[in-house]
Amino acid sequence: MEKKMLHVSVSPHIRSGETTQSVMRDVCIALIPPLAFGVYMFGLPALMVILVSVAACVLTEWIYQKLMGLPITVTDGSAMVTGLILAMNLPSTVPFWIPLIGGVFAILVVKQLFGGLGQNFMNPALAARCFLLLSFSARMTAFPAVDGMSSATPLAVLKNGGAVDLKALFLGLHSGCIGEVSILAILIGAAYLVIRRTIDLRISLTYLASTMAWIFLFGLLGAPVEMSLSFFAAHLFSGGLVAGAFFMATDYVTAPITPTGRYIYGVLLGLLTALFRILGPSAEGVSYAIIIGNTLVPLIERFTVPKPFGKQKVRAAK
């Protein structure tokens, strides 16, 4: 009887048709609504910031890989996504060298020096934004006035005990970073990612819900929190919370891969964001919360990796 040889290969045995290029293309498409609205609100300066940020990221990656003799990977779109997310988190008033420095830092220091795509331990765009905030805080917090109104962001107004217009917050008719002002535009882009199954809503929804829950808990413990629906809605709609939940916390490389770990990650991000916003000196805290959470992802995954079927725990001999 003829014996047939079986072909044995390593997992995964079921492969997805998605590629890095297709995923990055979807993210770029999803970022169009919030960035386009930012250009509509803030004009040509916002467009220049976006172009410089993307160009800095793409050229830095190409030059580094060329000099180091590495395969050129700029066509996968990851550097472009980094540039778009960095620009999303910048005011339109920054000089051109701010996104230039930020793009170089994001790609060279945070991404390439740690091994390139898939090896970076934190989100490159948010790491660059935090670097810029620490290095050039005055320029990074100078926001343009909108329709003659104050240039203070809604979170800064809330921090000082003021009231904000929820409708203006949702539509984006206020001052802020280029891609974070319009919640409606952000949700349109996020809906595209959900339809395309590019992101996992477990992280996003847990992050948003836990942030509100932690703020509520801090209010019960005596923190300066106004226990009203409008106050919580203002915190939900302002700053980079919604943008961070859908576009940054869900980053494939720096987010947990285990289902349980994603819930824990979302709760952790909510705790850190609430701490920074309510008890910290700054009004915003999403960027810092996410990059700190990124550093804890290996620990989260270590304790949430599911046990393989049939594997028994080995007990130490007495």
Side-chain angles (χ1 to χ4, degrees):
M1 183 175 179
E2 183 181 357
K3 294 183 179 180
K4 294 183 178 180
M5 302 297 293
L6 298 177
H7 178 69
V8 180
S9 62
V10 297
S11 60
H13 303 294
I14 300 176
R15 299 183 182 271
S16 170
E18 290 185 344
T19 63
T20 300
Q21 194 172 19
S22 67
V23 171
M24 296 303 166
R25 182 177 62 248
D26 284 341
V27 176
C28 287
I29 294 172
L31 287 170
I32 291 176
L35 290 173
F37 185 86
V39 173
Y40 167 76
M41 281 294 295
F42 306 119
L44 185 60
L47 179 60
M48 293 304 298
V49 170
I50 296 171
L51 294 177
V52 172
S53 179
V54 172
C57 290
V58 173
L59 287 175
T60 300
E61 182 161 303
W62 184 85
I63 292 172
Y64 176 83
Q65 292 175 339
K66 196 74 172 176
L67 292 176
M68 300 300 294
L70 300 173
I72 305 299
T73 60
V74 292
T75 55
D76 64 14
S78 61
M80 178 178 289
V81 168
T82 299
L84 291 175
I85 293 179
L86 175 59
M88 187 181 194
N89 289 275
L90 296 178
S92 62
T93 54
V94 295
F96 76 93
W97 51 266
I98 291 285
L100 180 62
I101 293 176
V104 173
F105 183 88
I107 297 298
L108 180 61
V109 178
V110 186
K111 182 181 178 183
Q112 292 299 331
L113 292 184
F114 284 91
L117 181 64
Q119 304 298 321
N120 48 285
F121 69 101
M122 64 174 59
N123 187 295
L126 292 186
R129 188 203 184 190
C130 293
F131 166 74
L132 294 173
L133 278 170
L134 294 173
S135 304
F136 314 104
S137 57
R139 294 184 182 273
M140 288 289 292
T141 54
F143 299 99
V146 177
D147 295 332
M149 300 174 62
S150 170
S151 61
T153 62
L155 278 180
V157 174
L158 285 174
K159 191 79 171 178
N160 294 323
V164 295
D165 184 351
L166 293 180
K167 181 180 178 181
L169 278 179
F170 186 75
L171 296 178
L173 307 177
H174 59 85
S175 184
C177 293
I178 295 171
E180 296 179 350
V181 289
S182 175
I183 301 302
L184 176 60
I186 292 170
L187 291 178
I188 292 173
Y192 174 80
L193 293 179
V194 173
I195 293 172
R196 294 284 297 170
R197 299 184 179 181
T198 304
I199 62 173
D200 185 357
L201 285 178
R202 281 175 287 195
I203 293 176
S204 303
L205 298 183
T206 304
Y207 184 12
L208 295 174
S210 65
T211 301
M212 297 300 102
W214 285 113
I215 292 177
F216 178 77
L217 179 60
F218 291 158
L220 293 179
L221 296 176
V225 174
E226 181 184 330
M227 304 297 277
S228 66
L229 184 61
S230 60
F231 180 86
F232 288 95
H235 267 281
L236 182 64
F237 291 162
S238 57
L241 181 57
V242 177
F246 288 106
F247 289 106
M248 304 163 208
T250 54
D251 176 41
Y252 282 18
V253 178
T254 56
I257 61 174
T258 60
T260 303
R262 293 183 174 185
Y263 289 116
I264 296 173
Y265 182 62
V267 172
L268 173 64
L269 296 185
L271 170 61
L272 293 173
T273 301
L275 278 173
F276 291 139
R277 284 191 174 187
I278 304 302
L279 302 179
S282 176
E284 182 57 292
V286 171
S287 297
Y288 292 111
I290 293 177
I291 65 170
I292 292 173
N294 291 162
T295 63
L296 297 175
V297 165
L299 186 63
I300 293 173
E301 290 182 337
R302 178 180 179 184
F303 290 101
T304 58
V305 172
K307 185 175 68 174
F309 179 75
K311 182 176 180 180
Q312 297 180 349
K313 186 182 293 184
V314 179
R315 296 182 178 180
K318 295 183 180 181

